[in-house]
């Protein structure tokens, strides 16, 4: 991707909701505000989600067995953080949260408003 094309792509993500997964298993969902040359990502209005602890999983498994269920369900814990900087070296995956009504096209390269109809 050329520098100009990459810049245009990043600008198209500004103020969109992103889901950012990190190496320690956390998930951050917030509004993309900026990035830097080190791939750090700044999100606003951010919520952090964590996988349940081993103790919570064991409790959920015991409850499932005693109730006769074959599947174990445990909720992720969440908290509101606000403005966060996610270090680029810890980011494993980033996704744009976009509803079908918001999406103009499945392929970003087909969007005439961004790339002039390539």
């Amino acid at each position: 991707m050329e520098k100009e094309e990459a810049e245009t792509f990043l600008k198209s993500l500004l103020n969109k909701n992103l889901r950012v997964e990190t190496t320690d298993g956390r998930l951050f969902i917030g509004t993309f505000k900026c990035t830097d040359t080190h791939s750090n990502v700044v999100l606003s209005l951010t919520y952090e989600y964590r996988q349940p602890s081993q103790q919570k999983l064991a409790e959920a498994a015991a409850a499932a067995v005693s109730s006769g269920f074959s599947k174990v369900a445990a909720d992720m814990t969440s908290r509101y953080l606000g403005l966060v900087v996610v270090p680029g070296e810890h980011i494993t995956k980033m996704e744009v949260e976009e509803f079908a009504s918001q999406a103009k096209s499945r392929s970003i390269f087909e969007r005439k408003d961004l790339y002039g109809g390539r």
Side-chain angles (χ1 to χ4, degrees), residues 8-20:
T8 302
F9 176 71
L10 281 174
K11 285 180 181 178
S12 75
L13 296 178
L14 286 174
N15 298 312
K16 295 229 175 132
N17 286 336
L18 294 186
R19 296 167 55 97
V20 179

Side-chain angles (χ1 to χ4, degrees), residues 7-109:
E7 204 172 285
T8 302
F9 176 71
L10 281 174
K11 285 180 181 178
S12 75
L13 296 178
L14 286 174
N15 298 312
K16 295 229 175 132
N17 286 336
L18 294 186
R19 296 167 55 97
V20 179
E21 294 180 21
T22 58
T23 53
D24 61 1
R26 289 183 292 170
L27 171 67
F28 296 92
I29 299 177
T31 305
F32 177 63
K33 291 298 178 184
C34 67
T35 187
D36 62 14
T37 56
H38 302 291
S39 301
N40 300 319
V41 172
V42 177
L43 301 173
S44 67
L45 305 173
T46 307
Y47 285 86
E48 173 195 47
Y49 295 88
R50 292 178 178 252
Q51 297 293 332
S53 66
Q54 292 299 323
Q55 179 183 353
K56 295 247 186 215
L57 286 175
E59 290 170 5
V65 168
S66 67
S67 301
F69 294 116
S70 60
K71 292 185 179 181
V72 176
D75 292 330
M76 294 178 82
T77 57
S78 68
R79 64 181 178 157
Y80 177 75
L81 298 176
L83 189 67
V84 298
V85 177
V86 183
E89 65 187 278
H90 297 293
I91 296 173
T92 58
K93 184 178 181 182
M94 286 178 46
E95 298 175 312
V96 177
E97 268 197 342
E98 193 169 46
F99 298 102
S101 61
Q102 296 170 319
K104 293 182 180 178
S105 173
R106 284 277 177 219
S107 171
I108 190 92
F109 294 107

